[in-house]
Amino acid sequence: MNAPVSSPVSSPALTKNQSLVFDVLTRSDQPMSAYTILDKLRDQGFRAPLQVYRALDKLTEFGMVHRLESLNAFVACAHRASDCCGAHGHGHGTVAFAICESCGHVFEFHDHEVDHRLEGWTKGKGFKAAKTTIEIRGLCDACAA
C-alpha cells in the first residue's frame, strides 16, 4: 500500500499513486482515459490499469477528478476551491461540462440557477439524487469560428 503524500491545500492526503495520477490530469489540456494515464505513468512504475482505476476512484470520491461519461475519460476538477452548494459532499452541486467535439477542450462550469431548478424538481418528485452531471457537446468559440 502507498504511504500518504502531502497534497495541495484543503485536499485530503494522497497516496503516491493518487498524486501521480492527479498530476498527469492537472497537466493535461484534454480529458484522458485510464489507459492513456497508464501509458504516461509507466516510467513511474505503473504496470496495470487497476493501479490507475484505484487512484481515479479515490480522486473522484475526493472531488478532485470528474469522469466524463460520454467520453469514458477523466479531467481534474476546475472548481476545487468553490464552496457553492457544498451540501453535495465536496463543494459541488451539479457538475457541468461543455465538450468541444472538434478540439476536445472541456470547460467545467457551475450555474446556481440550474442547480436550484434541478434540486426543486427532485424534491418535488421525492427523488433523492446521488450525483448530477451535465455534458453539453458541440463546438467551442474557436472551433465554431
Side-chain angles (χ1 to χ4, degrees), residues 72-95:
N72 194 23
F74 299 85
V75 293
C77 178
H79 296 103
R80 288 279 304 143
S82 175
D83 289 326
C84 58
C85 304
H88 299 277
H90 57 269
H92 296 100
T94 301
V95 182

Side-chain angles (χ1 to χ4, degrees), residues 53-115:
Y53 280 115
R54 283 183 180 151
L56 287 168
D57 284 347
K58 277 300 186 184
L59 292 167
T60 302
E61 179 184 318
F62 295 151
M64 298 172 70
V65 167
H66 299 294
R67 181 172 185 266
L68 299 172
E69 305 287 337
S70 65
L71 300 177
N72 194 23
F74 299 85
V75 293
C77 178
H79 296 103
R80 288 279 304 143
S82 175
D83 289 326
C84 58
C85 304
H88 299 277
H90 57 269
H92 296 100
T94 301
V95 182
F97 303 94
I99 304 166
C100 181
E101 293 181 314
S102 180
C103 70
H105 191 81
V106 174
F107 305 88
E108 180 179 349
F109 65 95
H110 184 93
D111 186 310
H112 289 283
E113 275 189 50
V114 171
D115 242 4

Side-chain angles (χ1 to χ4, degrees), residues 8-90:
V9 176
S10 77
S11 295
L14 300 178
T15 65
K16 179 182 175 191
N17 284 358
Q18 291 163 1
S19 293
L20 290 168
V21 169
F22 186 65
D23 186 54
V24 165
L25 284 171
T26 57
R27 292 175 189 267
S28 177
D29 60 353
Q30 301 281 323
M32 298 179 80
S33 71
Y35 284 91
T36 301
I37 296 168
L38 175 62
D39 288 343
K40 296 224 178 255
L41 292 174
R42 288 196 189 277
D43 291 343
Q44 306 293 330
F46 279 66
R47 298 288 175 252
L50 189 55
Q51 290 173 283
V52 175
Y53 280 115
R54 283 183 180 151
L56 287 168
D57 284 347
K58 277 300 186 184
L59 292 167
T60 302
E61 179 184 318
F62 295 151
M64 298 172 70
V65 167
H66 299 294
R67 181 172 185 266
L68 299 172
E69 305 287 337
S70 65
L71 300 177
N72 194 23
F74 299 85
V75 293
C77 178
H79 296 103
R80 288 279 304 143
S82 175
D83 289 326
C84 58
C85 304
H88 299 277
H90 57 269

